[in-house]
Amino acid sequence: MSDADPWLVVGLGNPGPEYAGNRHNVGFMVADLLAQRMGGRFKAHKARAQVVEGRCGAPGPGSRRVVVAKPSSYMNVSGGPTTALRDFYKVPVAHIIAIHDELDIDYGALRLKLGGGDNGHNGLKSITKSLGAEYHRIRFGIGRPPGRMQVADFVLKDFSSAERRELDYFVDRAADAVETLIVDGLERAQSTYNS
């Protein structure tokens, strides 16, 4: 693995306008912002994903080649498109970052890690089944469902109006965390963004 190897950033979510504002789609929201920062537009890729290719970091030798992707499949089968993109772009597994919603973390808090379990997250389960567990995760806290609401109903609901007031800030911070991880490494990114 070298600095010349590309990075693959996979925002997890469900395709289609009916899911766009869901808590489960926060990975797509972060991917959209990263694409915007790179000045790119998503294009359909044969790997069943939308992709943007660009660079991350200051221009020059420190910048890194990055592919930002949003699988066009449903969340629970994200592993197929992620594996196909890894093969197509020849990305080492340790250069793959999955951005996903996380129930066990307070809303807006971030946790960055390399490897680990899937904590019941179907998108991660699918990727781990395809690639093994040694990829990076950026876990975006969405908190637990209120009262007796089922988890499945909660993650497939849009953020509340109170949450939406801070959502842009939190998505921005998650995009910063992705860039820091790619350019400065995991330890630096964890010490800056893990909350």
Side-chain angles (χ1 to χ4, degrees), residues 14-164:
N14 286 309
E18 68 274 30
Y19 298 107
N22 289 180
R23 291 182 178 92
H24 221 21
N25 270 41
V26 76
F28 274 15
M29 296 172 196
V30 177
D32 286 339
L33 180 57
L34 287 165
Q36 196 181 317
R37 288 181 179 185
M38 293 191 317
R41 294 181 99 84
F42 282 100
K43 293 182 177 66
H45 191 279
K46 65 182 181 185
R48 297 194 334 271
Q50 299 285 321
V51 301
V52 171
E53 297 177 50
R55 297 195 80 80
C56 181
S63 84
R64 305 280 180 262
R65 219 173 112 219
V66 181
V67 178
V68 177
K70 298 191 296 186
S72 306
S73 61
Y74 284 97
M75 173 77 87
N76 58 354
V77 287
S78 302
T82 303
T83 303
L85 290 168
R86 176 205 61 186
D87 295 347
F88 182 86
Y89 289 105
K90 299 180 175 41
V91 180
V93 172
H95 272 203
I96 296 175
I97 302 170
I99 310 164
H100 63 93
D101 57 308
E102 178 60 64
L103 288 158
D104 289 335
I105 303 175
D106 290 340
Y107 173 60
L110 296 175
R111 295 269 198 306
L112 286 70
K113 67 178 192 169
L114 174 62
D118 55 53
N119 207 14
H121 193 288
N122 290 331
L124 294 182
K125 209 173 279 183
S126 175
I127 293 174
T128 298
K129 193 172 161 196
S130 298
L131 295 177
E134 290 307 302
Y135 57 92
H136 289 89
R137 298 97 194 276
I138 294 193
R139 303 157 71 201
F140 187 112
I142 59 168
R144 301 293 307 179
R148 296 209 163 121
M149 186 189 284
Q150 293 296 309
V151 165
D153 295 333
F154 179 69
V155 299
L156 293 175
K157 281 212 176 348
D158 286 0
F159 285 100
S160 69
S161 54
E163 287 170 332
R164 278 199 302 271

